[in-house]
Amino acid sequence: MLTFLTGGARSGKSSLAVRMAAASGLPVVFLATARPEGDDEWHTRLGRHRAERPQEWTTVEEPVELAAAVAAADPGAALIVDCLTLWVANVLDAGLDDGDVEAAATKAAAAAAARPAPTFVVSNEVGSSIVPVDPGVRRYRDVLGRVNAVVAEAADRAYLTVAGRVLPLLGPDDVVGG
């Protein structure tokens, strides 16, 4: 079962993914997409996140090859992918064009949906604000929006987190009829 969790920064989506994976009763693989390079605050933040995870969980750090990392995860373990937001930034920085990013996301979503154990994919919702002035930021926002839609389409369940609260997201067929 693939569950997609989206929302703003610090909305509770990652915490919810952790709680849901822990509640599964299965071993857990945490797939982190953050790159370890950066400033001191970034290193402190990543260290805090690593320390918060239960020691018995397996952590895989893969900033670019998302589909391969999802496919390689223990099929009997719950999988948390945290997060698409950083993954999109990483693959854009690596030079992928928009179509290639969407194709890679489609492949990763299919691998996640095919897993026998539950998978929880986390991503920020960045399209709810003003249109950015900078073309690079607009591109990032647009690509992440399409990636989020690809994963939500493949998901069995999708939720929006706001201020620590959770709203289920309906599919278009649930609204229009199908």
Side-chain angles (χ1 to χ4, degrees):
M1 174 175 284
L2 173 57
T3 301
F4 179 63
L5 303 165
T6 190
R10 300 283 162 246
S11 63
K13 59 196 174 299
S14 293
S15 297
L16 179 59
V18 166
R19 288 179 62 193
M20 293 172 87
S24 75
L26 298 170
V28 177
V29 174
F30 191 98
L31 174 51
T33 63
R35 286 192 214 157
E37 65 258 12
D39 57 32
D40 289 342
E41 186 276 335
W42 187 245
H43 283 282
T44 300
R45 180 184 293 249
L46 292 180
R48 189 174 56 248
H49 286 301
R50 287 179 184 126
E52 289 171 351
R53 288 181 218 129
Q55 288 186 350
E56 64 272 12
W57 287 13
T58 301
T59 297
V60 175
E61 295 180 351
E62 178 48 62
V64 175
E65 298 298 330
L66 185 60
V70 169
D74 178 355
L79 175 65
I80 298 171
V81 177
D82 197 359
C83 70
L84 295 180
T85 314
L86 294 172
W87 176 75
V88 167
N90 295 340
V91 294
L92 288 176
D93 284 349
L96 269 68
D97 69 26
D98 299 6
D100 289 339
V101 176
E102 193 169 335
T106 300
K107 187 175 177 183
R115 297 185 74 252
T119 302
F120 307 94
V121 176
V122 176
S123 187
N124 284 41
E125 175 52 56
V126 297
S128 298
S129 187
I130 62 172
V131 176
V133 174
D134 181 86
V137 178
R138 279 194 307 271
R139 176 183 179 220
Y140 171 77
R141 181 216 45 199
D142 292 348
V143 171
L144 181 58
R146 287 192 299 276
V147 165
N148 285 349
V150 162
V151 176
E153 176 66 27
D156 300 291
R157 304 180 300 182
Y159 298 102
L160 175 67
T161 59
V162 179
R165 300 298 183 166
V166 182
L167 297 167
L169 299 175
L170 302 175
D173 290 342
D174 297 322
V175 176
V176 177

